[in-house]
Structures are given as C-alpha cells and as structure tokens.
Amino acid sequence: MIEALFLLFGLFIMFFGTLGLLRFPDVYTRLHATAKCDTGGAISILTALAMASDFPLVVKLKFFVMALTIAMINPMVSHAIARAAYKSGIKPKATVDMYAWDNP
Amino acid sequence: MSRIHFYLRSRLEEVRKRVLYESYEAKKLPAWERVGITWLALFAFWVVVSGKFSPPHLATGAVVTFIVALITRDFLTDDIRQTGHLLSKALYIFLFLISQYLFIMAFRLLESNLRVVRNVILMDINPGIVKVKTDLHSNTGLTVLANSITLTPGTLTLDVDKKLGEAYLYVHWINVETLDQEKIGMKIKGELEEWLKKIFW
C-alpha cells in the first residue's frame, strides 16, 4: 500500500517536471524543473521498488546507494549545464543579473 | 576626516578574517587520521555494494580499501575540522551529523518538488541571479553547500567565485523577493551553512 503511494508520488513529480521543462521560458528555469523533479521522483520510485521487491536486505540497501548517488550527481550536472550555457552566451530572462555585473 | 575610522575598522576586520583563515589552514588533520576516516567510508561502501559477509570477502575488502585510502587520503578529508579524538570524531560524523543532514535534505527536497509543481501550474516566477557570500572556505564544504542549495526550494547554483579568504556563490533564484545581501543569505543558505560548519571549515 505504502509503496503504491510512493510510486504514484514519483509519477506525479516526474509528470510535472516534464511539464515544467516544456512550459518554462529559458534554460535556467527549465533546469530548476529537471534537476529537482528528477531527483525527487527517482528517489521516490527507488524507495517504492526497495519496499515492494522481495530481495534480501543487502540488495535493498543498494537501491538507497543508487538514490544517494543520484542526489549527489544530479546537482553537479545541472550546475555544469547552467554554467556552460552562461559561458556560451545565453542570456537569462531575469530581473536582476549579478553574475553579469561581476563578469563583464 | 571621519571616513578614515570606518576604513580602518573594515581593514581590521579583513586582517582578522585572514588570520582566522590561516589558523584553520595550519591545523589540518594528521595523515593517519585522514587515512582512517577515508578507510571507514570506503569500507562501508564496499560492504553495501558487494553484499557478501563471509570472512574472505571482508578481508579482501579491508585490504583493498586500505590501499585505496592510502593513495586518496587527501580527497575526502582534507577539509575536516580538527576537534576531538579520531574514533569519537568518526562516529560523530558518520552516525550523527551525516544522517541528520540527510534527513533535513530529504524534507527540503520534498518541499522543493512541491514548490516546482506549484510554479509549473501557476507560472508565478520572477527569476534572477543573485550573489551570496558564504562563510565556508574549504573546497569540499563549498561543493556540498552548492549541491545542497541546488536541491533546496527555488534556487540553483550557477557558479562559485573563490578569492583569497572569501567565497561567493552565484545563485539563480526563481522568485526574487529581496536584494538585501543579509536577507538573501538568510533565505538561501538558511540553516544549511550552520550544519556544514560543524564538519568543514
């Protein structure tokens, strides 16, 4: 029962993450949607799998190692994409841009 | 005439901060303690990933992770603060601080997911890039802080600028509420930096 809730929550978060990827205006706001919703949705789905499957305990712990690895790697990837986009000249649709003030 | 006092006071503050930074630089962990902490982390990872508990497997894992810890002792633990004895420090960090930090971050991640869902539905965004000053100085601490800021609600780290003794983060904020430096620091870093200051310097 609880694993179905986790699975449905992961599906919900992933769906709205994809919708945000399509609806937001520029690269940086789209990265908000993908980085957070991918991390949360994947962790939720992995938790549901660890609860639902009938593997021994050590194999279930590996799901949590995968979740921790995703949570560590995903922010780094989004940071790399955002910085590369800024360095290659894509201007953000922003009200204030202190990064452009300091790096003219 | 009266401006000179302000200048001197700010200059004195700068010198004091630099002395603090150099004193942290001077008291790093000894080499064998660094090897010990790295070995504990790598061995825990070995046990979970291999998933076998027979004595030959554990002995092989201990030897191999000890060799790897001898080589890579500087990467993980170079920036850890020096307090207390090795064993109590390792137990404190692994059992108490890291688990509490993961618990906090799980709830912040849940909150940020729901915030993004609300932003997607309502489209009430007002994006901007702001600059945040941090009190952390070490490379590992800054990395963990930047990753945590990316996972907290409404913010995404763009770049890190590290000058002599001072570090700044450029953060893309999806809903800019204020431009005051202190309030920005309070809202974005929050309690995360206090947690990280207990481990890293």
Side-chain angles (χ1 to χ4, degrees):
Chain A
M1 183 57 204
I2 297 180
E3 61 262 22
L5 277 182
F6 270 108
L7 207 57
L8 279 179
F9 182 73
L11 186 65
F12 174 76
I13 292 295
M14 284 286 199
F15 175 74
F16 277 101
T18 317
L19 199 62
L21 176 66
L22 295 174
R23 274 191 82 180
F24 276 153
D26 64 338
V27 181
Y28 309 98
T29 42
R30 283 176 180 175
L31 275 174
H32 275 277
T34 53
K36 285 160 196 166
C37 291
D38 275 0
T39 314
I43 287 178
S44 176
I45 289 174
L46 281 173
T47 313
L49 285 181
M51 288 162 100
S53 60
D54 49 355
F55 290 129
L57 182 65
V58 182
V59 184
K60 290 186 180 182
L61 276 179
K62 284 183 194 177
F63 281 113
F64 289 103
V65 173
M66 279 168 64
L68 192 67
T69 317
I70 286 174
M72 282 198 296
I73 289 175
N74 223 341
M76 287 186 220
V77 173
S78 67
H79 153 73
I81 292 174
R83 190 166 176 270
Y86 206 101
K87 294 278 177 187
S88 65
I90 299 173
K91 292 297 172 197
K93 291 187 177 67
T95 52
V96 54
D97 191 355
M98 294 193 188
Y99 194 58
W101 296 354
D102 291 343
N103 304 293
Chain B
M1 186 63 195
S2 62
R3 280 176 176 268
I4 293 175
H5 299 286
F6 288 111
Y7 174 72
L8 278 181
R9 191 180 298 161
S10 66
R11 186 71 196 154
L12 206 65
E13 284 288 320
E14 266 184 32
V15 169
R16 192 175 296 148
K17 274 179 192 168
R18 194 159 303 164
V19 166
L20 195 71
Y21 179 74
E22 282 175 358
S23 69
Y24 277 137
E25 186 82 27
K27 54 174 185 180
K28 284 183 175 174
L29 292 179
W32 63 278
E33 291 197 356
R34 279 185 268 169
V35 173
I37 291 181
T38 314
W39 182 67
L40 268 180
L42 287 179
F43 188 61
F45 192 71
W46 169 280
V47 167
V48 173
V49 168
S50 77
K52 291 169 182 162
F53 293 100
S54 64
H57 277 109
L58 289 184
T60 313
V63 171
V64 171
T65 51
F66 185 70
I67 294 171
V68 176
L70 276 182
I71 299 170
T72 66
R73 63 168 184 264
D74 288 339
F75 293 139
L76 180 64
T77 58
D78 196 22
D79 304 325
I80 290 183
R81 278 175 178 243
Q82 182 169 18
T83 48
H85 190 257
L86 168 67
L87 192 64
S88 65
K89 187 167 28 187
L91 280 180
Y92 184 63
I93 287 176
F94 280 111
L95 290 184
F96 198 65
L97 278 179
I98 289 184
S99 51
Q100 238 168 351
Y101 191 69
L102 287 181
F103 193 71
I104 289 178
M105 281 311 297
F107 278 96
R108 298 301 295 265
L109 182 60
L110 182 64
E111 185 192 347
S112 81
N113 281 335
L114 296 177
R115 185 85 63 95
V116 167
V117 168
R118 206 197 70 186
N119 277 335
V120 168
I121 293 173
L122 297 179
M123 290 294 283
D124 53 345
I125 57 173
N126 177 23
I129 298 174
V130 295
K131 181 181 183 182
V132 186
K133 185 179 184 307
T134 67
D135 294 337
L136 293 169
H137 301 292
S138 62
N139 287 330
T140 315
L142 275 177
T143 309
V144 178
L145 179 67
N147 282 353
S148 309
I149 281 177
T150 301
L151 290 183
T152 48
T155 47
L156 188 144
T157 310
L158 200 70
D159 202 355
V160 180
D161 186 13
K162 200 175 160 194
K163 302 235 174 72
L164 183 70
E166 287 184 345
Y168 295 97
L169 293 175
Y170 294 95
V171 175
H172 186 273
W173 201 2
I174 205 167
N175 194 3
V176 177
E177 298 166 11
T178 169
L179 286 182
D180 186 16
Q181 202 73 29
E182 303 264 328
K183 283 182 187 170
I184 287 175
M186 280 283 294
K187 279 199 181 278
I188 288 183
K189 292 180 298 182
E191 76 271 22
L192 297 172
E193 194 175 41
E194 301 299 318
W195 284 101
L196 286 179
K197 268 189 200 169
K198 291 180 186 171
I199 307 178
F200 305 106
W201 53 269

